[in-house]
Amino acid sequence: MPKSRELAQANLETLYRIFTVPVAPESTLGEIDKAITDDLTGFLQQHIVAVERDLDEIEGDFSQSRIPEEPTYVSDYTDFLKEKLVSQSVHTASPGFIGHMTSALPYFMLPLSRILTALNQNLVKVETSRAFTPMERQVLAMIHRLIYAQSDEFYREWIQNNRYALGAFCSGGTIANVTALWAARNRLCGPSGDFKGIAREGLVKALRHLDCQGLAVLVSRRGHYSLGKAADVLGIGRDNLIAVDTDGNNRIDLVRLREQCARLKGEGIRPLAIIGIGGTTETGNVDPLEALADLAGELGCHFHVDAAWGGPTLFSDRYRGLLRGIERADSVTIDAHKQLYVPMGAGMVLFKDPATLSSIEHHAAYIIRRGSRDLGSRTLEGSRPGMAMLVHAGLSIIGRKGYELLINQGIERARRFARLIDAHSEFELVSEPELNILTYRYLPSWAQQVLAEAVPERRAQINEILDKVIETMQKRQREAGKTFVSRTRLAPGRYGGDTITVFRVVLANPLTTDDILSAVLEEECEIASQPDIQAMLEQIKG
Amino acid sequence: MPKSRELAQANLETLYRIFTVPVAPESTLGEIDKAITDDLTGFLQQHIVAVERDLDEIEGDFSQSRIPEEPTYVSDYTDFLKEKLVSQSVHTASPGFIGHMTSALPYFMLPLSRILTALNQNLVKVETSRAFTPMERQVLAMIHRLIYAQSDEFYREWIQNNRYALGAFCSGGTIANVTALWAARNRLCGPSGDFKGIAREGLVKALRHLDCQGLAVLVSRRGHYSLGKAADVLGIGRDNLIAVDTDGNNRIDLVRLREQCARLKGEGIRPLAIIGIGGTTETGNVDPLEALADLAGELGCHFHVDAAWGGPTLFSDRYRGLLRGIERADSVTIDAHKQLYVPMGAGMVLFKDPATLSSIEHHAAYIIRRGSRDLGSRTLEGSRPGMAMLVHAGLSIIGRKGYELLINQGIERARRFARLIDAHSEFELVSEPELNILTYRYLPSWAQQVLAEAVPERRAQINEILDKVIETMQKRQREAGKTFVSRTRLAPGRYGGDTITVFRVVLANPLTTDDILSAVLEEECEIASQPDIQAMLEQIKG
C-alpha cells in the first residue's frame, strides 16, 4: 500500500499533498472507488452485510467524542469505513427494499456526481457558479412547464429573467414546502399603506393590519409532517395547521374542509393556504385538486400542492390525469431525489406566477446585490451545491418518455401487487394503490371473519392485537435483511374509527420484479408462523 | 464509442440497463471521470476556460424550457456538459481565486463522495441510514467538544442518547442559524400553564402569554444576511433584527448594544437572542464574545454565535483564543463546507444544552416516531444525505493538528498580505485581518493625501469616485479570469460615516502562495492603468 502518497504526518508538505496528489488507484480507497465504478450493485451486495448488527453495537463504533489529534492514512481510514460504516449501511437500492422512497440510481448519476463534487460550485451567486446558474433556471423552467404548460412566449420571457424566479431549488421537499408557505404568507401580508409588510414588521403587526386573529393552513390528515414544521417555524402554530378528515380513499373530505373553513371564519382566523396532496407519503393518494383550486379561489387564499412524491406522474400521458388540477396551484413541491432518481438532497418548489417569490426577496452588500443574477436572493438556503445538474442530466438522458416508462411501470406493478395481496388468504389490502404506493396487513382469512363479526369494542381489541403482530413482523423482516417494507398507522373507514398499523410499500425501483413481490409475501408468511406471533394471533380467537 | 451500452431508446430493456450497467470507461463520461480521478487540478485547469463568455451568451445555451421527449446517449450528453457547463464553470479551487469562501478540496473527498452517493443513505431515519446515524451523532459530539470541551462523562451520556441531541446537521449555515433561532424562540415561548407553547399556538398567542409587544434579535451590522431571513421566516420581522453599530474593527459596539437593549425594554419588546459573530463574512472579525455572554446572561436571553466561517479556528492552539467566550454560547453555527474543506452542502448547529433542540421536536406515524433513533425528529430538513461522513473523514484523516496547520497558515498569510498592501503605494488596507479575511482598496498615495485633506463633502465625492473605480476593477479582474477578489461595502471609521466599496479577500486555500498574492496586486495595478480608470481617477484631482 503506497502510504507514502498519503497524509503521513502533520507537516505542511504532506498537507499540500492531500490537496494536490490524487488517491493512488492501488490504495484501499482507490480500490473501493474502482469497485463502485465497475459494478455498483455488486459492490453494495458484497459489502453491505445481510444480517443487521444490533444498533447499540454499531453505536459503540461511534462513541469517541474527541477529534483525533494526529492525521491518519487515507487507506487506514478507508478500511475503517468499509468495515464499520459501509458494511452496516442500508442497501437502499436493493429491489427487495420496497418500504421507502429511495430507489436505485441510474448508473450515470455516479460519475456525474463526481464532476459536480469536483467543480464544487456554489449556487448562491453567479460568481461561484457561472453556467450552473442558467442551468438551474432552465431546470426550474422545464419542471414549471411540465406542471403549468404555459406558452413558448411565457418561458422565453421568464426562463432567464433574473428579476423573477419560476421556482427555487432546495435540499428537499421540506424546505420546498416551507418556502411555498413562507412566500404565500409574505404575499398575503405584503406592504400596504403604512404597513411595511410582514417581512419587516413581523407576524403580530401583520395580523393587526389584516384585522384577524390568526392564519390557518388547511390540509388533509394525510399531509406530510413537514407542514407541521412549516406552521411552527413560520409562527402560525401547529394548532392552525388544520388536519381535515379524509374519505375512505385517504383523500381530503370536501364537506369537512368547508366546515373547517366556516369555523375559522367564525373565529376570525384567515385561511392562508389550502394544500392539496399529489401523492400522500403513506398511501400515495391524490386529493381532488380541481375542487381544492375552486375553494381556494372562492376564499382568495394560496393553493399549494405537495407533489414531492407524485409530481413526476406528470411525465406519463397515461396517468397524468390523476393530478388534474395541479396546473391551478399557486405553488407545487417536487422532490428530485425521489421519482426523478437523482441522489439525496434535491427538492424544488415551483410558482405559477414568477412574481410570487419576490415576497421573500432579500439582498446583501457583498453578494445577491439588487439587480444581480444571483439565485440566492430568492431562496431560503444560502450556499448550496449544483444538484440541478443531476436533474438536468436525468431529464436529458432519460427523457420524458423514459420517465414515463418508469412511472407507468411503478403504478402498474403496484396494481398487480394489490391483486396478489387480494388473492392471498393471509393478507388484507388496506389502501388500494392510486399511484405506486399501497398498504396492507397480515390478516389470515379466519381472523378477517372474526373481525367482521365482532362488536366495536371487541373489534378494537382485535385490531390492537394485530397492530402488535404487524409491528413485530415488520421489525423481524427488516432485521433479517433480505426484504424490507415500512409501516405506518391509518384509520381506514371499514373499521369504524379504529386506527390500525399497516405495512407500507413504495414501488419506484425499476429493478423490483413481480417475483420479488411474491417473495416479500412469502417471507412475511414465514415470519408469521413463528411461535410467538402465532401465540399473539391465538388471542384473536379468544 | 460504445453507444450500444448506453440508453438508446425508450424501452424497458434499455431503461433497466441504465440502472444496472455501469458507464463504459471508454465513453466520454468514463474518460472525464477518469481524468478527474487521475488529476483533478489538471482537469479543472484544462477545461475551465480562462476567459469568461458573456453571461447572456451562456444563458442562450440554457434557454430551452421543454423537457426532451426522447432519451439521449450518455456520451452525447456528457459532450454537451463538457462544452457548455464544465468549460463555463468557476474554478473555485484555483489558488488565485481568493475572493470567496470555497477553497480547494483535499483529494480524498472525491472518491469518498462517490461512496456517499452510491450508498445514497437518507439521514432522516435509521431505517435508511443505519450506521450513518451514530456516525453523524459522533461528528456532532466531536464538534460540540471542540467548542464546549465538556467532560468525558458528559459525552458518554449524550453522544448516542437518542432522546436528546447535541446539535443538528443541515445543508448549510443559513439553515443552521434558522434552526438556532427557531429552537431559542420555541424555548422562550415554551408550554406553561394553559399556554401550550408557540409551536402549537403560534407567535401571536405566545407574545400575549409573555406579555410583550414583540421579540428582537440583536447582532452587529456585520451580521450575515441569513439572520435577516431567519427573522423574516420566524415571524419576528426584519425590523426586529437590530443591527447594532460596530467599532473601528467591525466588532459590535457594546455601548450601542446596551442602548438598543434599553430602547427595546422601553418599547415592551423582549430580546430573544444576542448573536455574536465568530468571523464576520465580509471582514473576518470576531465580536467580544465574553462580554456578549455576560449581557445575554443579564437579560436572560439566548446567546448564539455565528461561527460559520471562523469556528474551525478552535483547532489552532495558537489562535483559538480569538474566539474566547464561544464556549458560553447556547448555540453555535459552523459550516463544514467552508473551513472543514468538505464539498458544498454541509452545515451544523451545536447546542450547549442537549435539551434545547427538544423545543422543536416533532413526530410522525410512519417515521421519526416517539422513542426512535431517527435524527429527523430534531432537524428542520427532512430527507437529507450523509454529509457527516465527509466531515468524519476530514476530522480523521487531517486530524486536529492538520486543521490547525491549515488555520494557522491562513491567518498568517492574511497578515503577510496586509503588510504587502500597507507597503504598496497604490493600495489602502481597509480592514486589518483578525482571522484570514481582509479588505483593501485601490488608492494611490497621491489620492490618499487628497482625501486626507478634503472637507467632508468633497471627501464623500472622492469616495464615490473610488467606489466606481473599485467596482470596475473588480469586474475586469473577474472577467480576465486569472485571479479573483470579491467586493463589498463597508463604513470604516476613518472616513466619518462614508460607506466605501472595497476588495475582499479570503485566504483559506492552502495552495495560495505569497507569489500569487503579489500577482493579484500587480494585476490590479495593470487594470488601474487602463485609460478609462485613469480618467476616473483624474476627477479626484479635480
Side-chain angles (χ1 to χ4, degrees):
Chain A
M1 194 182 310
K3 291 207 173 180
S4 61
R5 299 193 63 190
E6 298 175 354
L7 183 66
Q9 35 174 321
N11 63 43
L12 277 181
E13 198 198 330
T14 46
L15 207 57
Y16 287 132
R17 294 178 76 84
I18 63 163
F19 282 88
T20 53
V21 180
V23 171
E26 67 274 36
S27 67
T28 320
L29 181 51
E31 278 163 20
I32 295 186
D33 197 27
K34 191 172 179 317
I36 291 178
T37 312
D38 292 350
D39 176 15
L40 170 65
T41 316
F43 173 83
L44 292 176
Q45 272 162 5
Q46 190 187 335
H47 291 286
I48 298 181
V49 293
V51 181
E52 286 190 1
R53 267 174 73 205
D54 189 70
L55 278 170
D56 292 328
E57 243 180 88
I58 300 177
E59 287 176 358
D61 295 332
F62 300 101
S63 56
Q64 177 55 261
S65 61
R66 277 181 204 279
I67 294 167
E69 273 288 295
E70 304 292 335
T72 311
Y73 288 112
V74 174
S75 51
D76 287 348
Y77 180 72
T78 316
D79 282 335
F80 163 81
L81 215 58
K82 200 165 155 179
E83 189 188 335
K84 302 295 189 189
L85 189 82
V86 175
S87 72
Q88 296 303 320
S89 293
V90 180
H91 193 166
T92 53
S94 166
F97 278 49
I98 53 174
H100 48 66
M101 295 180 147
T102 315
S103 160
L105 293 177
Y107 242 95
F108 61 82
M109 288 294 174
L110 284 170
L112 291 179
S113 293
R114 189 194 291 251
I115 295 176
L116 191 64
T117 307
L119 291 174
N120 206 26
Q121 307 288 288
N122 180 354
L123 275 280
V124 74
K125 52 182 171 172
V126 160
E127 262 179 13
T128 48
S129 66
R130 297 282 298 160
F132 271 73
T133 288
M135 173 179 263
E136 181 169 299
R137 291 193 69 105
Q138 181 186 26
V139 170
L140 289 167
M142 283 176 165
I143 302 296
H144 190 282
R145 188 161 194 157
L146 180 71
I147 298 165
Y148 295 111
Q150 301 287 332
S151 66
D152 280 338
E153 204 189 339
F154 176 92
Y155 292 104
R156 253 197 312 277
E157 184 169 355
W158 302 112
I159 187 168
Q160 298 294 350
N161 184 332
N162 64 282
R163 287 170 301 128
Y164 295 91
L166 295 173
F169 242 85
C170 41
S171 64
T174 298
I175 301 296
N177 280 337
V178 172
T179 304
L181 291 176
W182 180 26
R185 189 200 70 179
N186 281 19
R187 200 171 214 203
L188 175 65
C189 312
S192 115
D194 284 344
F195 179 62
K196 290 174 284 175
I198 187 170
R200 288 192 54 188
E201 298 201 32
L203 185 61
V204 175
K205 290 188 181 163
L207 294 191
R208 207 173 294 151
H209 176 75
L210 288 180
D211 193 22
C212 68
Q213 297 302 311
L215 299 177
V217 174
L218 296 116
V219 67
S220 95
R221 290 203 177 284
R222 299 264 69 80
H224 190 256
Y225 71 90
S226 59
L227 301 171
K229 281 195 268 190
D232 177 351
V233 171
L234 293 168
I236 295 166
R238 288 167 178 270
D239 287 356
N240 289 320
L241 176 72
I242 312 297
V244 181
D245 286 335
T246 53
D247 64 16
N249 290 315
N250 296 296
R251 298 186 195 113
I252 196 165
D253 181 322
L254 293 165
V255 175
R256 294 298 184 87
L257 175 59
R258 282 188 179 271
E259 283 169 13
Q260 292 282 9
C261 290
R263 175 182 68 82
L264 291 170
K265 196 172 181 186
E267 294 173 14
I269 294 173
R270 182 145 176 181
L272 163 63
I274 289 178
I275 299 179
I277 314 173
T280 59
T281 312
E282 290 157 293
T283 60
N285 292 106
V286 182
D287 281 329
L289 303 179
E290 288 278 16
L292 295 181
D294 288 343
L295 182 57
E298 261 177 55
L299 298 171
C301 76
H302 189 96
F303 177 37
H304 176 66
V305 172
D306 183 353
W309 179 254
T313 309
L314 294 168
F315 287 121
S316 165
D317 286 339
R318 198 180 298 161
Y319 296 112
R320 65 172 294 142
L322 290 171
L323 295 179
R324 191 166 296 124
I326 194 172
E327 71 285 355
R328 296 174 62 193
D330 294 302
S331 56
V332 175
T333 288
I334 289 190
D335 255 344
H337 57 225
K338 294 191 170 100
Q339 295 204 78
L340 288 175
Y341 299 89
V342 312
M344 196 52 60
M348 283 172 270
V349 55
L350 291 309
F351 292 88
K352 186 171 200 167
D353 178 351
T356 307
L357 266 175
S358 304
S359 70
I360 62 156
E361 198 174 316
H362 50 272
H363 299 280
Y366 72 110
I367 55 166
I368 60 169
R369 301 177 188 100
R370 252 170 236 289
S372 76
R373 302 178 203 228
D374 299 346
L375 295 170
S377 59
R378 290 180 207 92
T379 57
L380 176 50
E381 289 164 284
S383 298
R384 60 194 174 78
M387 291 298 283
M389 180 191 128
L390 300 181
V391 183
H392 192 271
L395 295 174
S396 305
I397 294 172
I398 298 177
R400 206 269 309 159
K401 286 189 181 171
Y403 278 115
E404 175 174 49
L405 273 171
L406 289 166
I407 289 292
N408 291 357
Q409 260 193 82
I411 292 177
E412 287 156 21
R413 189 176 297 112
R415 291 178 182 184
R416 289 198 302 278
F417 192 36
R419 298 295 71 81
L420 200 65
I421 292 165
D422 269 343
H424 202 298
S425 62
E426 293 183 63
F427 294 97
E428 176 193 31
L429 184 72
V430 177
S431 64
E432 186 69 47
E434 189 173 355
L435 301 179
N436 47 7
I437 296 176
L438 60 78
T439 62
Y440 65 106
R441 65 173 175 170
Y442 184 76
L443 184 69
S445 44
W446 63 262
Q448 206 155 348
Q449 208 169 331
V450 176
L451 203 55
E453 289 160 7
V455 294
E457 198 178 331
R458 176 69 190 141
R459 189 188 62 208
Q461 285 172 348
I462 296 173
N463 275 329
E464 270 174 41
I465 295 167
L466 287 166
D467 289 351
K468 192 86 195 106
V469 167
I470 301 298
E471 192 180 326
T472 310
M473 286 176 65
Q474 192 263 349
K475 284 183 183 164
R476 267 182 217 171
Q477 189 172 5
R478 193 192 68 209
E479 282 161 16
K482 281 182 286 184
T483 58
F484 171 74
V485 300
S486 54
R487 67 174 205 272
T488 192
R489 284 175 64 71
L490 296 174
R494 80 193 74 158
Y495 298 119
D498 294 5
T499 298
I500 62 172
T501 299
V502 296
F503 296 131
R504 165 174 166 267
V505 157
V506 184
L507 289 164
N509 188 331
L511 306 177
T512 303
T513 60
D514 289 3
D515 284 350
I516 290 174
L517 299 179
S518 300
V520 166
L521 295 187
E522 252 169 68
E523 192 181 352
E524 283 167 0
C525 287
E526 262 175 56
I527 294 170
S529 73
Q530 291 167 1
D532 59 336
I533 295 180
Q534 283 299 312
M536 289 186 214
L537 289 166
E538 278 301 312
Q539 297 167 25
I540 295 176
K541 290 182 183 155
Chain B
M1 194 181 310
K3 292 207 172 179
S4 62
R5 297 190 64 187
E6 297 174 356
L7 184 66
Q9 35 173 324
N11 63 41
L12 278 180
E13 199 198 330
T14 46
L15 207 57
Y16 288 133
R17 293 178 76 86
I18 62 164
F19 282 87
T20 53
V21 180
V23 171
E26 66 274 38
S27 67
T28 320
L29 182 51
E31 279 164 18
I32 295 185
D33 197 26
K34 190 170 177 321
I36 291 178
T37 312
D38 292 351
D39 177 15
L40 170 66
T41 315
F43 172 84
L44 292 176
Q45 272 163 3
Q46 189 186 338
H47 290 286
I48 297 181
V49 295
V51 181
E52 285 191 2
R53 266 174 74 205
D54 189 70
L55 276 172
D56 291 328
E57 241 180 89
I58 299 177
E59 286 175 357
D61 295 331
F62 300 101
S63 58
Q64 177 54 261
S65 61
R66 276 180 205 279
I67 293 166
E69 273 288 292
E70 304 292 335
T72 310
Y73 289 111
V74 173
S75 50
D76 287 349
Y77 180 73
T78 316
D79 282 337
F80 163 82
L81 215 60
K82 199 165 155 179
E83 189 187 335
K84 302 295 189 189
L85 190 82
V86 175
S87 72
Q88 297 302 321
S89 293
V90 180
H91 193 166
T92 52
S94 166
F97 279 48
I98 52 174
H100 47 67
M101 295 181 149
T102 316
S103 161
L105 293 177
Y107 243 95
F108 61 83
M109 288 294 175
L110 284 171
L112 290 180
S113 292
R114 190 195 288 254
I115 295 176
L116 191 64
T117 307
L119 292 174
N120 206 27
Q121 308 288 287
N122 181 353
L123 274 281
V124 73
K125 52 182 171 173
V126 160
E127 263 178 12
T128 49
S129 66
R130 298 281 298 158
F132 271 73
T133 289
M135 173 178 265
E136 183 169 300
R137 292 192 69 104
Q138 182 187 24
V139 170
L140 289 166
M142 284 175 163
I143 302 297
H144 191 281
R145 188 161 194 157
L146 180 71
I147 299 165
Y148 296 111
Q150 302 286 332
S151 66
D152 281 335
E153 204 190 340
F154 176 91
Y155 291 104
R156 253 198 312 277
E157 182 169 356
W158 302 112
I159 186 167
Q160 299 293 349
N161 184 333
N162 64 281
R163 287 171 300 128
Y164 296 91
L166 295 173
F169 241 85
C170 40
S171 64
T174 297
I175 301 295
N177 280 337
V178 172
T179 303
L181 291 176
W182 180 26
R185 189 200 69 180
N186 283 19
R187 201 171 214 205
L188 176 65
C189 313
S192 114
D194 284 345
F195 179 61
K196 290 173 286 176
I198 188 170
R200 289 192 53 188
E201 298 201 32
L203 184 60
V204 175
K205 290 189 181 164
L207 294 191
R208 209 173 294 151
H209 176 75
L210 288 180
D211 193 22
C212 67
Q213 297 300 311
L215 299 177
V217 174
L218 297 116
V219 67
S220 95
R221 289 202 178 284
R222 298 264 69 80
H224 190 256
Y225 71 90
S226 60
L227 300 171
K229 282 196 267 189
D232 177 351
V233 170
L234 293 169
I236 295 167
R238 289 168 177 271
D239 287 355
N240 290 319
L241 176 72
I242 312 298
V244 182
D245 286 335
T246 53
D247 63 18
N249 290 315
N250 296 295
R251 299 186 196 112
I252 196 165
D253 182 322
L254 293 165
V255 176
R256 292 300 182 88
L257 175 60
R258 283 187 178 272
E259 281 169 15
Q260 292 283 6
C261 291
R263 176 183 67 82
L264 291 170
K265 195 172 180 186
E267 293 173 15
I269 294 172
R270 182 144 175 181
L272 163 62
I274 289 178
I275 299 179
I277 314 174
T280 60
T281 312
E282 290 157 294
T283 61
N285 291 105
V286 182
D287 281 329
L289 304 180
E290 290 277 16
L292 295 181
D294 288 342
L295 182 57
E298 263 177 55
L299 297 171
C301 77
H302 189 96
F303 176 38
H304 176 66
V305 172
D306 183 353
W309 179 255
T313 309
L314 294 169
F315 287 121
S316 164
D317 285 340
R318 197 179 300 160
Y319 296 112
R320 65 171 296 143
L322 290 171
L323 295 178
R324 192 166 297 122
I326 195 172
E327 72 285 355
R328 295 175 61 192
D330 295 300
S331 56
V332 175
T333 287
I334 289 190
D335 255 343
H337 57 225
K338 294 189 170 102
Q339 295 203 78
L340 288 176
Y341 298 89
V342 312
M344 197 50 62
M348 283 171 272
V349 55
L350 290 308
F351 292 89
K352 185 170 200 168
D353 177 350
T356 307
L357 267 176
S358 304
S359 70
I360 62 155
E361 197 174 316
H362 50 271
H363 299 278
Y366 72 110
I367 54 167
I368 59 170
R369 301 177 188 99
R370 250 169 237 290
S372 76
R373 303 180 200 225
D374 299 347
L375 295 170
S377 59
R378 291 181 207 92
T379 57
L380 177 50
E381 289 164 286
S383 296
R384 60 195 176 77
M387 292 297 284
M389 181 191 127
L390 299 180
V391 183
H392 191 271
L395 295 175
S396 305
I397 295 171
I398 299 176
R400 206 270 308 161
K401 287 189 179 169
Y403 280 115
E404 174 174 49
L405 272 171
L406 289 166
I407 289 293
N408 291 356
Q409 258 195 81
I411 292 176
E412 287 155 21
R413 189 175 297 114
R415 290 178 182 183
R416 288 197 303 276
F417 192 35
R419 298 296 70 82
L420 201 65
I421 292 165
D422 269 342
H424 202 296
S425 63
E426 293 183 62
F427 294 96
E428 175 194 31
L429 184 72
V430 177
S431 64
E432 187 70 47
E434 189 173 356
L435 300 181
N436 47 7
I437 297 176
L438 60 78
T439 63
Y440 65 106
R441 65 173 176 170
Y442 184 76
L443 182 69
S445 44
W446 63 262
Q448 207 154 348
Q449 207 168 334
V450 177
L451 203 55
E453 291 160 6
V455 294
E457 199 178 332
R458 177 68 190 143
R459 189 188 63 207
Q461 284 171 351
I462 295 173
N463 275 329
E464 270 174 42
I465 295 167
L466 287 167
D467 289 350
K468 191 87 197 106
V469 167
I470 299 299
E471 191 179 326
T472 310
M473 285 177 66
Q474 192 263 349
K475 283 183 184 165
R476 266 180 217 173
Q477 190 172 7
R478 192 192 67 208
E479 283 161 17
K482 279 182 286 184
T483 58
F484 170 74
V485 300
S486 53
R487 67 174 206 273
T488 192
R489 284 176 66 69
L490 295 174
R494 80 193 75 160
Y495 298 119
D498 295 5
T499 297
I500 62 172
T501 299
V502 297
F503 297 130
R504 166 176 167 266
V505 158
V506 184
L507 290 165
N509 189 332
L511 306 177
T512 303
T513 59
D514 288 3
D515 285 350
I516 290 174
L517 298 179
S518 299
V520 166
L521 295 186
E522 253 171 65
E523 192 181 351
E524 284 166 0
C525 287
E526 262 175 57
I527 293 170
S529 73
Q530 290 166 2
D532 59 336
I533 295 180
Q534 283 299 313
M536 288 187 217
L537 290 166
E538 278 302 311
Q539 297 167 26
I540 295 176
K541 292 181 184 158

